[in-house]
Amino acid sequence: MPSIAPPCLRALLLTAVAAAALSACNRDREPAAPEPAAPGAAAVVTPADAAAPMSFESKTPWADVRLTLPDGLKAQTDLHARLYAEEVRRLRQFTEGAQGELTEAGADTDRPKYEKTIAITVAAETAKLLSLKRVDFDYSGGAHPNTLTDGLLWDKALKRRVGIADLFGKGVDLTILDQALCSAVNAAKRARVPDGASVTLGGKDFSCPRAVDTPFILTPGDTPGKAAGLTFLIGPYQVGPYAEGAYEIAVPAAVFRSLLAVAYSGEFGGRLVKVGDVTPAAAPAAVAQ
């Protein structure tokens, strides 16, 4: 009996040829497919558009939370992604905690819901360093809300955080900086509360903060691309009662320039526009809005 395979095979081949021809005729009417990446080329991912947006917001019956990040963070993709993940995790934990506290047995059903707002801004940037300021407004049902301010210093080339020990070098005696900070704190306190008590290093109730234990940010001056000093961020209760408020104290680089580590001494230059108390007016109210 003759085989039927060859005719079927010929029919299949003719069909394939016709389909290919039709595809070729319509190719100019179809959108071009994206070209594949070159061998060995890495895919480009922009955290601002993918893994790490510039803001986050959530509203529940128990808490309203919000995060804002600065555009100046976009270029530092590692830090951007890390900060976004850390802060969003913190805000979600806050919301979970608020739900637990406001729905627990016997809780006052008329209690207002909680609120937390984290705003991160660029304080200053030099060739090597990016300084960020973090303001955390928190209302958790107490007598009053709290606003805490912190700083983060980032080495752009090494892609890591820089602490005060890195900035000045381990084991460096910072007594001169501590004394300058203490003097500036007392000057600021006298301006706010003329009859208030002064503070000293190692005081009992309230004391002057030591630079090594105090959050700080780089502070720009009159020379672009350089930091003219450091601003220390001193929270409520640290140097006086809560009603006295927080302090932000700017110390010029001239005070500590000789103490800086060689790797970072070139990042400082110029003069501060203002020295001493540079606390923003009504900062907590602005953040709370």
Side-chain angles (χ1 to χ4, degrees), residues 3-17:
S3 172
I4 62 172
C8 291
L9 181 58
R10 285 196 297 272
L12 288 172
L13 289 172
L14 289 173
T15 301
V17 170

Side-chain angles (χ1 to χ4, degrees), residues 34 40 59 65-66 75 108 114 123 136 145-146 149 151 155 174 195-196 199 203 234 253-254 261 265 279 287:
K59 293 186 177 183
V65 300
R66 183 169 70 253
D108 184 357
Y114 293 176
D136 184 331
N146 288 299
T149 309
D155 187 309
L174 297 179
D195 58 350
V199 290
I234 304 167
S265 60
T279 310
V287 176

Side-chain angles (χ1 to χ4, degrees), residues 106-187:
D108 184 357
T109 56
D110 294 330
R111 291 168 63 185
K113 62 180 179 177
Y114 293 176
E115 181 181 354
K116 191 175 187 69
T117 301
I118 299 172
I120 297 178
T121 56
V122 174
E125 185 170 7
T126 69
K128 289 185 177 180
L129 298 170
L130 175 66
S131 178
L132 300 177
K133 182 179 180 181
R134 179 183 183 274
V135 179
D136 184 331
F137 171 88
D138 182 313
Y139 174 71
S140 301
H144 53 71
N146 288 299
T147 301
L148 299 177
T149 309
D150 198 1
L152 185 155
L153 190 58
W154 182 256
D155 187 309
K156 297 186 289 186
L158 298 179
K159 298 186 183 301
R160 67 177 181 88
R161 293 188 66 161
V162 175
I164 202 160
D166 302 295
L167 198 60
F168 290 99
K170 295 181 179 179
V172 173
D173 185 355
L174 297 179
T175 301
I176 294 175
L177 180 54
D178 290 340
Q179 292 172 342
L181 177 57
C182 189
S183 295
V185 165
N186 279 312

Side-chain angles (χ1 to χ4, degrees), residues 6-264:
C8 291
L9 181 58
R10 285 196 297 272
L12 288 172
L13 289 172
L14 289 173
T15 301
V17 170
L22 181 60
S23 175
C25 291
N26 292 332
R27 191 170 296 149
D28 59 345
R29 295 196 294 270
E30 296 175 354
E35 295 183 2
V44 177
V45 178
T46 304
D49 299 329
M54 302 309 294
S55 63
F56 171 83
E57 185 170 9
S58 171
K59 293 186 177 183
T60 71
W62 307 282
D64 292 345
V65 300
R66 183 169 70 253
L67 165 70
T68 56
L69 298 175
D71 287 341
L73 188 59
K74 289 180 178 179
Q76 305 304 317
T77 55
D78 292 345
L79 178 59
H80 181 192
R82 184 185 306 178
L83 268 184
Y84 181 82
E86 289 176 356
E87 299 295 4
V88 169
R89 180 171 60 251
R90 185 175 286 113
L91 290 174
R92 285 177 170 161
Q93 289 172 345
F94 177 85
T95 299
E96 292 173 2
Q99 180 178 359
E101 291 182 16
L102 294 176
T103 58
E104 65 183 1
D108 184 357
T109 56
D110 294 330
R111 291 168 63 185
K113 62 180 179 177
Y114 293 176
E115 181 181 354
K116 191 175 187 69
T117 301
I118 299 172
I120 297 178
T121 56
V122 174
E125 185 170 7
T126 69
K128 289 185 177 180
L129 298 170
L130 175 66
S131 178
L132 300 177
K133 182 179 180 181
R134 179 183 183 274
V135 179
D136 184 331
F137 171 88
D138 182 313
Y139 174 71
S140 301
H144 53 71
N146 288 299
T147 301
L148 299 177
T149 309
D150 198 1
L152 185 155
L153 190 58
W154 182 256
D155 187 309
K156 297 186 289 186
L158 298 179
K159 298 186 183 301
R160 67 177 181 88
R161 293 188 66 161
V162 175
I164 202 160
D166 302 295
L167 198 60
F168 290 99
K170 295 181 179 179
V172 173
D173 185 355
L174 297 179
T175 301
I176 294 175
L177 180 54
D178 290 340
Q179 292 172 342
L181 177 57
C182 189
S183 295
V185 165
N186 279 312
K189 284 173 63 67
R190 286 193 296 272
R192 282 193 205 180
V193 188
D195 58 350
S198 296
V199 290
T200 61
L201 290 165
K204 287 187 177 181
D205 295 329
F206 301 108
S207 64
C208 282
R210 293 190 180 274
V212 72
D213 300 320
T214 307
F216 67 92
I217 53 176
L218 300 185
T219 310
D222 58 4
T223 302
K226 299 288 184 180
L230 298 176
T231 295
F232 290 89
L233 310 171
I234 304 167
Y237 298 116
Q238 286 190 256
V239 297
Y242 178 83
E244 198 170 305
Y247 287 89
E248 297 187 12
I249 303 295
V251 178
V255 170
F256 55 80
R257 188 183 304 279
S258 63
L259 306 177
L260 289 165
V262 174
Y264 298 116

